[in-house]
Amino acid sequence: MAFDIGLGMLVLVVVGTAITANVEVQGSSPSPAAYAFGALLGSLMLLRRRWPVGTLLVTAVALVIYYMLDYPPVGLAVPVAAALYSAAEQGRPYWAVGTATTLLLTSTAVRIHEGDDLAYLLGFEFAGSAGLMATVIALGDGVRSRRNWRAELDKQARAAELEREREAARKVEQERLRIARDLHDLLAHTVSIISLHTDVAREALRDDPDTAQRSLTKARSACSDVGRELRATLGALRGSGSDEAPAPGLDRLGELVDTATAAGLQVRVHTTGTPAPLPAISDATAYRVVQEALSNVLRHADARTVQIELDYREDAVVLRIEDDGRGAGQQPDPAGWGIIGMRERLALLGGELRAQPRPDGGFLVQARIPEQP
């Protein structure tokens, strides 16, 4: 608003000065009505933002009427310059160009008809007025373009910031899900082992103290293992640089087998193909799939034997974990958190999971883990 007031005052001063200068040259007394036109043109600047085209047209019409009343000449471009600038600056450059062209052609035609000197008229007046009009229109359009450019930059910056926030939230969500999967796999398996060994110890405590002691030792060992992995996971979350790997791989498959065997299962491991080191995330996923499958067997299957097959192919490792348990009744909820967790892990790598009862009894978990996620 302050700029508009200042622009209006500038128009009033410029037009008033031009009127006064022409009156002094002609030696006549100033006309209050002529100055009123200057005040009108200046006051129109207060409306230029809301009605830029209307302001321009009223200014042009007022200027035509001013000259029709034979008031002191004040030039053509100077009185209308602010209105032309305003129209272009408010995004109406075509109106500004059209109005300026119309005024120039009309004024030139009238003055030629009145017999003005063509050399002076076309070489000085026309060129000067056209140059000034073109300059203010270009200035207004440049200001508008720069303003729009800055607005676009701000919009892009806001969009980039929003995208960064979304990406950060997505990463946090992925990390939360990863931690939830790891904790579920770790705790579910360990709790199953502890529960089985404590049941064995409770039943054998009086009749077979040695068996009870071995079972309690196994339960204690499972507690130590889960405590170690929990500390490693918390260390990774805190960025403490713990030397313990929070994500074990297939190199620790033997530990899973020993734990399941100690819990009463007969576990056989069969490997085909040429074993090759896997990327850390693929290796950890393979370990967690076997861990979860064995945990489900221990908790739900009432099985005696488990067959684990590792098939190393050119582009993937295929795991098959089969048991001779209850099959369809093995899991009370086939879409439980364990199965969901395995599916999520494999989906992140582009792998596949099958978890279903076997036709001849028992349950099958088959996972395809790409070597290059």
Short mmCIF file of all heavy atoms in Angstrom, two decimals, residues 211-280:
data_model
loop_
_atom_site.label_atom_id
_atom_site.label_comp_id
_atom_site.label_asym_id
_atom_site.label_seq_id
_atom_site.Cartn_x
_atom_site.Cartn_y
_atom_site.Cartn_z
N THR A 211 18.77 -84.27 33.62
CA THR A 211 18.04 -83.73 32.47
C THR A 211 17.48 -82.35 32.79
O THR A 211 17.52 -81.42 31.95
CB THR A 211 16.90 -84.68 32.07
OG1 THR A 211 17.45 -85.93 31.70
CG2 THR A 211 16.10 -84.10 30.90
N ALA A 212 16.96 -82.20 34.01
CA ALA A 212 16.43 -80.90 34.41
C ALA A 212 17.52 -79.84 34.41
O ALA A 212 17.32 -78.71 33.96
CB ALA A 212 15.79 -80.99 35.79
N GLN A 213 18.71 -80.24 34.89
CA GLN A 213 19.81 -79.29 34.92
C GLN A 213 20.25 -78.89 33.51
O GLN A 213 20.51 -77.72 33.22
CB GLN A 213 21.01 -79.88 35.68
CG GLN A 213 22.18 -78.90 35.83
CD GLN A 213 23.30 -79.49 36.68
OE1 GLN A 213 23.20 -80.60 37.17
NE2 GLN A 213 24.37 -78.72 36.84
N ARG A 214 20.32 -79.89 32.59
CA ARG A 214 20.69 -79.55 31.21
C ARG A 214 19.66 -78.62 30.56
O ARG A 214 20.01 -77.69 29.84
CB ARG A 214 20.83 -80.84 30.39
CG ARG A 214 22.09 -81.63 30.71
CD ARG A 214 22.35 -82.68 29.64
NE ARG A 214 21.25 -83.64 29.56
CZ ARG A 214 21.18 -84.76 30.29
NH1 ARG A 214 22.15 -85.05 31.15
NH2 ARG A 214 20.17 -85.58 30.14
N SER A 215 18.38 -78.87 30.86
CA SER A 215 17.34 -78.02 30.28
C SER A 215 17.43 -76.60 30.82
O SER A 215 17.28 -75.62 30.08
CB SER A 215 15.95 -78.61 30.56
OG SER A 215 15.79 -79.84 29.90
N LEU A 216 17.67 -76.48 32.10
CA LEU A 216 17.80 -75.15 32.68
C LEU A 216 19.04 -74.44 32.14
O LEU A 216 19.04 -73.22 31.95
CB LEU A 216 17.86 -75.24 34.20
CG LEU A 216 16.55 -75.67 34.89
CD1 LEU A 216 16.77 -75.84 36.39
CD2 LEU A 216 15.46 -74.64 34.63
N THR A 217 20.10 -75.21 31.91
CA THR A 217 21.30 -74.62 31.32
C THR A 217 21.02 -74.09 29.92
O THR A 217 21.47 -73.00 29.54
CB THR A 217 22.44 -75.65 31.27
OG1 THR A 217 22.74 -76.10 32.60
CG2 THR A 217 23.69 -75.06 30.65
N LYS A 218 20.25 -74.88 29.15
CA LYS A 218 19.88 -74.43 27.81
C LYS A 218 19.01 -73.17 27.87
O LYS A 218 19.17 -72.24 27.07
CB LYS A 218 19.12 -75.53 27.09
CG LYS A 218 19.96 -76.74 26.73
CD LYS A 218 20.96 -76.41 25.63
CE LYS A 218 21.73 -77.65 25.19
NZ LYS A 218 22.72 -77.33 24.14
N ALA A 219 18.09 -73.15 28.84
CA ALA A 219 17.24 -71.96 28.98
C ALA A 219 18.07 -70.75 29.36
O ALA A 219 17.86 -69.64 28.83
CB ALA A 219 16.16 -72.21 30.03
N ARG A 220 19.03 -70.97 30.25
CA ARG A 220 19.91 -69.87 30.64
C ARG A 220 20.75 -69.39 29.46
O ARG A 220 20.96 -68.18 29.27
CB ARG A 220 20.82 -70.31 31.79
CG ARG A 220 21.75 -69.21 32.29
CD ARG A 220 20.94 -68.13 32.99
NE ARG A 220 21.79 -67.03 33.42
CZ ARG A 220 22.14 -66.00 32.67
NH1 ARG A 220 21.70 -65.92 31.42
NH2 ARG A 220 22.89 -65.05 33.16
N SER A 221 21.22 -70.32 28.65
CA SER A 221 21.99 -69.95 27.48
C SER A 221 21.15 -69.15 26.49
O SER A 221 21.64 -68.18 25.89
CB SER A 221 22.53 -71.22 26.79
OG SER A 221 23.22 -70.91 25.61
N ALA A 222 19.88 -69.57 26.34
CA ALA A 222 18.98 -68.81 25.44
C ALA A 222 18.78 -67.39 25.96
O ALA A 222 18.73 -66.43 25.18
CB ALA A 222 17.65 -69.53 25.31
N CYS A 223 18.66 -67.26 27.28
CA CYS A 223 18.52 -65.91 27.86
C CYS A 223 19.76 -65.06 27.57
O CYS A 223 19.66 -63.87 27.25
CB CYS A 223 18.30 -66.01 29.37
SG CYS A 223 16.69 -66.67 29.84
N SER A 224 20.93 -65.66 27.67
CA SER A 224 22.16 -64.92 27.38
C SER A 224 22.22 -64.49 25.92
O SER A 224 22.62 -63.37 25.60
CB SER A 224 23.38 -65.79 27.72
OG SER A 224 23.40 -66.14 29.09
N ASP A 225 21.79 -65.43 25.04
CA ASP A 225 21.81 -65.09 23.61
C ASP A 225 20.89 -63.93 23.29
O ASP A 225 21.26 -63.01 22.56
CB ASP A 225 21.42 -66.32 22.79
CG ASP A 225 22.48 -67.41 22.83
OD1 ASP A 225 23.63 -67.09 23.20
OD2 ASP A 225 22.15 -68.57 22.51
N VAL A 226 19.67 -63.98 23.83
CA VAL A 226 18.72 -62.92 23.52
C VAL A 226 19.19 -61.60 24.13
O VAL A 226 19.01 -60.52 23.55
CB VAL A 226 17.31 -63.29 23.98
CG1 VAL A 226 17.17 -63.22 25.49
CG2 VAL A 226 16.27 -62.37 23.33
N GLY A 227 19.79 -61.67 25.32
CA GLY A 227 20.32 -60.45 25.92
C GLY A 227 21.42 -59.84 25.09
O GLY A 227 21.48 -58.61 24.92
N ARG A 228 22.29 -60.68 24.54
CA ARG A 228 23.38 -60.19 23.70
C ARG A 228 22.84 -59.51 22.44
O ARG A 228 23.29 -58.44 22.05
CB ARG A 228 24.31 -61.34 23.34
CG ARG A 228 25.52 -60.89 22.51
CD ARG A 228 26.51 -62.02 22.27
NE ARG A 228 25.91 -63.10 21.50
CZ ARG A 228 25.56 -64.29 22.00
NH1 ARG A 228 25.75 -64.54 23.30
NH2 ARG A 228 25.03 -65.23 21.25
N GLU A 229 21.86 -60.15 21.80
CA GLU A 229 21.31 -59.57 20.58
C GLU A 229 20.53 -58.29 20.86
O GLU A 229 20.55 -57.35 20.07
CB GLU A 229 20.43 -60.59 19.86
CG GLU A 229 21.21 -61.74 19.25
CD GLU A 229 20.47 -62.38 18.09
OE1 GLU A 229 19.74 -61.66 17.40
OE2 GLU A 229 20.61 -63.60 17.90
N LEU A 230 19.84 -58.25 21.99
CA LEU A 230 19.12 -57.02 22.35
C LEU A 230 20.09 -55.88 22.60
O LEU A 230 19.86 -54.74 22.18
CB LEU A 230 18.24 -57.25 23.57
CG LEU A 230 16.96 -58.06 23.35
CD1 LEU A 230 16.26 -58.33 24.68
CD2 LEU A 230 16.02 -57.31 22.42
N ARG A 231 21.20 -56.17 23.28
CA ARG A 231 22.20 -55.12 23.52
C ARG A 231 22.80 -54.64 22.20
O ARG A 231 23.04 -53.44 22.01
CB ARG A 231 23.30 -55.63 24.45
CG ARG A 231 22.88 -55.76 25.90
CD ARG A 231 24.10 -55.97 26.80
NE ARG A 231 24.82 -57.18 26.46
CZ ARG A 231 24.54 -58.39 26.94
NH1 ARG A 231 23.53 -58.54 27.79
NH2 ARG A 231 25.25 -59.45 26.60
N ALA A 232 23.05 -55.58 21.30
CA ALA A 232 23.61 -55.19 20.01
C ALA A 232 22.62 -54.33 19.22
O ALA A 232 22.99 -53.35 18.58
CB ALA A 232 23.96 -56.44 19.20
N THR A 233 21.33 -54.69 19.28
CA THR A 233 20.31 -53.90 18.57
C THR A 233 20.20 -52.51 19.16
O THR A 233 20.15 -51.51 18.43
CB THR A 233 18.94 -54.61 18.65
OG1 THR A 233 19.04 -55.91 18.05
CG2 THR A 233 17.87 -53.80 17.94
N LEU A 234 20.18 -52.41 20.49
CA LEU A 234 20.12 -51.09 21.13
C LEU A 234 21.38 -50.29 20.83
O LEU A 234 21.31 -49.07 20.63
CB LEU A 234 19.94 -51.26 22.64
CG LEU A 234 18.59 -51.82 23.09
CD1 LEU A 234 18.59 -52.04 24.61
CD2 LEU A 234 17.46 -50.87 22.69
N GLY A 235 22.54 -50.96 20.78
CA GLY A 235 23.77 -50.25 20.44
C GLY A 235 23.72 -49.68 19.04
O GLY A 235 24.17 -48.57 18.78
N ALA A 236 23.13 -50.46 18.11
CA ALA A 236 23.02 -49.96 16.73
C ALA A 236 22.07 -48.77 16.67
O ALA A 236 22.30 -47.80 15.94
CB ALA A 236 22.52 -51.07 15.81
N LEU A 237 20.97 -48.82 17.44
CA LEU A 237 20.02 -47.71 17.45
C LEU A 237 20.63 -46.45 18.03
O LEU A 237 20.36 -45.34 17.56
CB LEU A 237 18.77 -48.10 18.25
CG LEU A 237 17.86 -49.16 17.62
CD1 LEU A 237 16.74 -49.52 18.59
CD2 LEU A 237 17.29 -48.65 16.32
N ARG A 238 21.45 -46.62 19.05
CA ARG A 238 22.07 -45.46 19.69
C ARG A 238 23.32 -44.99 18.96
O ARG A 238 23.89 -43.95 19.30
CB ARG A 238 22.44 -45.80 21.14
CG ARG A 238 21.21 -46.03 22.02
CD ARG A 238 21.63 -46.48 23.40
NE ARG A 238 20.48 -46.61 24.30
CZ ARG A 238 20.55 -47.11 25.53
NH1 ARG A 238 21.71 -47.53 25.99
NH2 ARG A 238 19.47 -47.20 26.28
N GLY A 239 23.78 -45.77 17.98
CA GLY A 239 24.99 -45.40 17.25
C GLY A 239 26.23 -45.51 18.10
O GLY A 239 27.16 -44.74 17.95
N SER A 240 26.24 -46.49 19.01
CA SER A 240 27.38 -46.62 19.92
C SER A 240 28.55 -47.35 19.31
O SER A 240 29.61 -47.48 19.90
CB SER A 240 26.94 -47.36 21.20
OG SER A 240 26.49 -48.67 20.87
N GLY A 241 28.34 -47.90 18.06
CA GLY A 241 29.44 -48.59 17.40
C GLY A 241 29.78 -49.91 18.04
O GLY A 241 30.94 -50.29 18.12
N SER A 242 28.79 -50.62 18.52
CA SER A 242 29.03 -51.92 19.12
C SER A 242 29.66 -52.87 18.12
O SER A 242 29.32 -52.90 16.95
CB SER A 242 27.71 -52.51 19.63
OG SER A 242 27.90 -53.83 20.09
N ASP A 243 30.62 -53.68 18.57
CA ASP A 243 31.28 -54.63 17.69
C ASP A 243 30.41 -55.84 17.40
O ASP A 243 30.69 -56.62 16.49
CB ASP A 243 32.61 -55.11 18.31
CG ASP A 243 33.62 -53.97 18.37
OD1 ASP A 243 33.51 -53.06 17.53
OD2 ASP A 243 34.49 -54.02 19.24
N GLU A 244 29.37 -56.06 18.20
CA GLU A 244 28.50 -57.20 17.97
C GLU A 244 27.54 -56.88 16.84
O GLU A 244 26.90 -55.84 16.82
CB GLU A 244 27.71 -57.53 19.24
CG GLU A 244 28.58 -57.93 20.42
CD GLU A 244 27.75 -58.25 21.63
OE1 GLU A 244 27.29 -59.39 21.77
OE2 GLU A 244 27.53 -57.33 22.44
N ALA A 245 27.42 -57.81 15.88
CA ALA A 245 26.52 -57.59 14.75
C ALA A 245 25.09 -57.79 15.19
O ALA A 245 24.74 -58.86 15.69
CB ALA A 245 26.86 -58.57 13.62
N PRO A 246 24.23 -56.81 15.01
CA PRO A 246 22.84 -56.95 15.42
C PRO A 246 22.04 -57.85 14.50
O PRO A 246 20.94 -58.24 14.83
CB PRO A 246 22.31 -55.51 15.37
CG PRO A 246 23.19 -54.81 14.38
CD PRO A 246 24.53 -55.47 14.50
N ALA A 247 22.58 -58.18 13.33
CA ALA A 247 21.83 -59.00 12.38
C ALA A 247 22.65 -60.23 12.02
O ALA A 247 23.53 -60.18 11.17
CB ALA A 247 21.50 -58.20 11.13
N PRO A 248 22.40 -61.40 12.68
CA PRO A 248 23.15 -62.61 12.36
C PRO A 248 22.76 -63.15 10.99
O PRO A 248 21.73 -62.79 10.43
CB PRO A 248 22.72 -63.58 13.48
CG PRO A 248 21.38 -63.09 13.89
CD PRO A 248 21.41 -61.60 13.73
N GLY A 249 23.60 -64.03 10.45
CA GLY A 249 23.34 -64.60 9.14
C GLY A 249 23.37 -66.11 9.17
O GLY A 249 23.34 -66.75 10.24
N LEU A 250 23.45 -66.72 7.98
CA LEU A 250 23.41 -68.17 7.87
C LEU A 250 24.64 -68.83 8.48
O LEU A 250 24.65 -70.05 8.68
CB LEU A 250 23.28 -68.58 6.40
CG LEU A 250 21.91 -68.31 5.77
CD1 LEU A 250 21.93 -68.69 4.29
CD2 LEU A 250 20.81 -69.07 6.49
N ASP A 251 25.70 -68.05 8.78
CA ASP A 251 26.85 -68.64 9.45
C ASP A 251 26.50 -69.12 10.85
O ASP A 251 27.23 -69.91 11.45
CB ASP A 251 28.00 -67.63 9.50
CG ASP A 251 27.60 -66.35 10.23
OD1 ASP A 251 26.40 -65.98 10.18
OD2 ASP A 251 28.48 -65.71 10.82
N ARG A 252 25.34 -68.65 11.36
CA ARG A 252 24.89 -69.08 12.69
C ARG A 252 23.71 -70.04 12.59
O ARG A 252 22.99 -70.25 13.56
CB ARG A 252 24.51 -67.86 13.51
CG ARG A 252 25.69 -66.97 13.86
CD ARG A 252 25.30 -65.74 14.64
NE ARG A 252 24.59 -66.05 15.86
CZ ARG A 252 24.12 -65.15 16.73
NH1 ARG A 252 24.30 -63.86 16.45
NH2 ARG A 252 23.48 -65.51 17.80
N LEU A 253 23.53 -70.63 11.42
CA LEU A 253 22.45 -71.60 11.27
C LEU A 253 22.64 -72.79 12.20
O LEU A 253 21.67 -73.35 12.73
CB LEU A 253 22.39 -72.07 9.81
CG LEU A 253 21.33 -73.12 9.46
CD1 LEU A 253 19.93 -72.58 9.76
CD2 LEU A 253 21.44 -73.54 8.00
N GLY A 254 23.90 -73.17 12.41
CA GLY A 254 24.17 -74.30 13.30
C GLY A 254 23.64 -74.07 14.71
O GLY A 254 23.17 -75.00 15.37
N GLU A 255 23.70 -72.81 15.18
CA GLU A 255 23.19 -72.50 16.51
C GLU A 255 21.68 -72.72 16.57
O GLU A 255 21.15 -73.25 17.56
CB GLU A 255 23.51 -71.05 16.88
CG GLU A 255 25.01 -70.77 16.97
CD GLU A 255 25.28 -69.30 17.31
OE1 GLU A 255 24.33 -68.63 17.76
OE2 GLU A 255 26.42 -68.85 17.13
N LEU A 256 20.97 -72.30 15.50
CA LEU A 256 19.52 -72.53 15.47
C LEU A 256 19.21 -74.02 15.49
O LEU A 256 18.29 -74.47 16.18
CB LEU A 256 18.91 -71.88 14.22
CG LEU A 256 18.90 -70.35 14.16
CD1 LEU A 256 18.32 -69.90 12.81
CD2 LEU A 256 18.07 -69.77 15.29
N VAL A 257 19.97 -74.77 14.70
CA VAL A 257 19.74 -76.21 14.65
C VAL A 257 20.01 -76.84 16.00
O VAL A 257 19.23 -77.68 16.48
CB VAL A 257 20.63 -76.84 13.56
CG1 VAL A 257 20.55 -78.37 13.61
CG2 VAL A 257 20.21 -76.34 12.18
N ASP A 258 21.12 -76.46 16.64
CA ASP A 258 21.44 -77.03 17.96
C ASP A 258 20.36 -76.69 18.98
O ASP A 258 19.99 -77.55 19.81
CB ASP A 258 22.79 -76.49 18.44
CG ASP A 258 23.95 -77.01 17.60
OD1 ASP A 258 23.76 -78.03 16.89
OD2 ASP A 258 25.04 -76.38 17.64
N THR A 259 19.86 -75.47 18.94
CA THR A 259 18.84 -75.07 19.89
C THR A 259 17.56 -75.86 19.68
O THR A 259 16.92 -76.33 20.64
CB THR A 259 18.54 -73.57 19.74
OG1 THR A 259 19.73 -72.83 19.96
CG2 THR A 259 17.50 -73.12 20.76
N ALA A 260 17.15 -76.02 18.41
CA ALA A 260 15.95 -76.79 18.12
C ALA A 260 16.14 -78.26 18.48
O ALA A 260 15.21 -78.92 18.99
CB ALA A 260 15.58 -76.64 16.65
N THR A 261 17.33 -78.78 18.24
CA THR A 261 17.61 -80.18 18.59
C THR A 261 17.55 -80.39 20.09
O THR A 261 16.99 -81.38 20.58
CB THR A 261 18.99 -80.59 18.05
OG1 THR A 261 19.01 -80.44 16.63
CG2 THR A 261 19.31 -82.04 18.39
N ALA A 262 18.11 -79.43 20.82
CA ALA A 262 18.07 -79.54 22.27
C ALA A 262 16.64 -79.46 22.80
O ALA A 262 16.33 -79.98 23.88
CB ALA A 262 18.91 -78.42 22.89
N ALA A 263 15.74 -78.84 22.04
CA ALA A 263 14.35 -78.74 22.46
C ALA A 263 13.54 -80.00 22.09
O ALA A 263 12.35 -80.06 22.36
CB ALA A 263 13.70 -77.52 21.82
N GLY A 264 14.18 -80.98 21.43
CA GLY A 264 13.50 -82.24 21.14
C GLY A 264 13.22 -82.50 19.69
O GLY A 264 12.62 -83.55 19.37
N LEU A 265 13.59 -81.63 18.79
CA LEU A 265 13.35 -81.84 17.37
C LEU A 265 14.53 -82.57 16.72
O LEU A 265 15.68 -82.42 17.16
CB LEU A 265 13.14 -80.51 16.64
CG LEU A 265 11.83 -79.76 16.88
CD1 LEU A 265 11.88 -78.39 16.19
CD2 LEU A 265 10.64 -80.57 16.37
N GLN A 266 14.23 -83.32 15.69
CA GLN A 266 15.27 -83.89 14.85
C GLN A 266 15.38 -82.99 13.61
O GLN A 266 14.45 -82.95 12.80
CB GLN A 266 14.93 -85.32 14.43
CG GLN A 266 14.89 -86.30 15.59
CD GLN A 266 14.55 -87.71 15.12
OE1 GLN A 266 14.62 -87.99 13.92
NE2 GLN A 266 14.20 -88.57 16.07
N VAL A 267 16.46 -82.30 13.49
CA VAL A 267 16.62 -81.32 12.42
C VAL A 267 17.69 -81.81 11.45
O VAL A 267 18.81 -82.15 11.87
CB VAL A 267 17.01 -79.93 12.98
CG1 VAL A 267 17.12 -78.92 11.85
CG2 VAL A 267 15.99 -79.47 14.01
N ARG A 268 17.33 -81.86 10.17
CA ARG A 268 18.28 -82.24 9.13
C ARG A 268 18.46 -81.05 8.19
O ARG A 268 17.49 -80.42 7.78
CB ARG A 268 17.79 -83.46 8.35
CG ARG A 268 17.70 -84.72 9.21
CD ARG A 268 17.44 -85.94 8.33
NE ARG A 268 16.15 -85.85 7.68
CZ ARG A 268 15.01 -86.33 8.21
NH1 ARG A 268 15.03 -86.90 9.42
NH2 ARG A 268 13.88 -86.23 7.54
N VAL A 269 19.69 -80.78 7.83
CA VAL A 269 20.02 -79.67 6.93
C VAL A 269 20.63 -80.26 5.66
O VAL A 269 21.56 -81.07 5.73
CB VAL A 269 20.99 -78.68 7.58
CG1 VAL A 269 21.32 -77.55 6.61
CG2 VAL A 269 20.40 -78.12 8.87
N HIS A 270 20.07 -79.85 4.53
CA HIS A 270 20.57 -80.33 3.24
C HIS A 270 20.86 -79.12 2.35
O HIS A 270 20.02 -78.22 2.22
CB HIS A 270 19.53 -81.23 2.57
CG HIS A 270 19.97 -81.76 1.24
ND1 HIS A 270 21.05 -82.60 1.09
CD2 HIS A 270 19.46 -81.56 -0.02
CE1 HIS A 270 21.19 -82.90 -0.19
NE2 HIS A 270 20.24 -82.28 -0.89
N THR A 271 22.03 -79.10 1.76
CA THR A 271 22.46 -77.98 0.92
C THR A 271 22.72 -78.46 -0.50
O THR A 271 23.38 -79.49 -0.71
CB THR A 271 23.73 -77.33 1.48
OG1 THR A 271 23.49 -76.88 2.81
CG2 THR A 271 24.15 -76.14 0.62
N THR A 272 22.19 -77.74 -1.49
CA THR A 272 22.46 -78.01 -2.89
C THR A 272 23.02 -76.75 -3.54
O THR A 272 22.81 -75.63 -3.05
CB THR A 272 21.18 -78.45 -3.63
OG1 THR A 272 20.19 -77.41 -3.52
CG2 THR A 272 20.63 -79.73 -3.06
N GLY A 273 23.71 -76.95 -4.65
CA GLY A 273 24.34 -75.81 -5.30
C GLY A 273 25.66 -75.47 -4.64
O GLY A 273 26.15 -76.17 -3.74
N THR A 274 26.24 -74.36 -5.06
CA THR A 274 27.52 -73.92 -4.52
C THR A 274 27.30 -72.78 -3.54
O THR A 274 26.89 -71.67 -3.94
CB THR A 274 28.46 -73.44 -5.65
OG1 THR A 274 28.63 -74.50 -6.59
CG2 THR A 274 29.81 -73.03 -5.08
N PRO A 275 27.50 -73.03 -2.24
CA PRO A 275 27.30 -71.96 -1.26
C PRO A 275 28.19 -70.75 -1.57
O PRO A 275 29.36 -70.90 -1.92
CB PRO A 275 27.68 -72.60 0.07
CG PRO A 275 27.51 -74.07 -0.16
CD PRO A 275 27.90 -74.30 -1.59
N ALA A 276 27.61 -69.58 -1.48
CA ALA A 276 28.35 -68.34 -1.74
C ALA A 276 27.91 -67.30 -0.71
O ALA A 276 26.77 -67.32 -0.24
CB ALA A 276 28.07 -67.82 -3.16
N PRO A 277 28.84 -66.40 -0.32
CA PRO A 277 28.47 -65.36 0.64
C PRO A 277 27.33 -64.49 0.09
O PRO A 277 27.31 -64.14 -1.09
CB PRO A 277 29.76 -64.54 0.80
CG PRO A 277 30.85 -65.45 0.33
CD PRO A 277 30.26 -66.31 -0.73
N LEU A 278 26.39 -64.16 0.95
CA LEU A 278 25.26 -63.32 0.58
C LEU A 278 25.48 -61.90 1.08
O LEU A 278 26.20 -61.68 2.06
CB LEU A 278 23.96 -63.86 1.18
CG LEU A 278 23.52 -65.25 0.73
CD1 LEU A 278 22.29 -65.68 1.53
CD2 LEU A 278 23.20 -65.26 -0.75
N PRO A 279 24.85 -60.91 0.42
CA PRO A 279 24.85 -59.55 1.01
C PRO A 279 24.28 -59.59 2.42
O PRO A 279 23.46 -60.46 2.75
CB PRO A 279 23.94 -58.77 0.05
CG PRO A 279 24.00 -59.51 -1.24
CD PRO A 279 24.14 -60.96 -0.86
N ALA A 280 24.72 -58.66 3.24
CA ALA A 280 24.36 -58.69 4.66
C ALA A 280 22.85 -58.74 4.87
O ALA A 280 22.36 -59.53 5.69
CB ALA A 280 24.95 -57.47 5.36
#
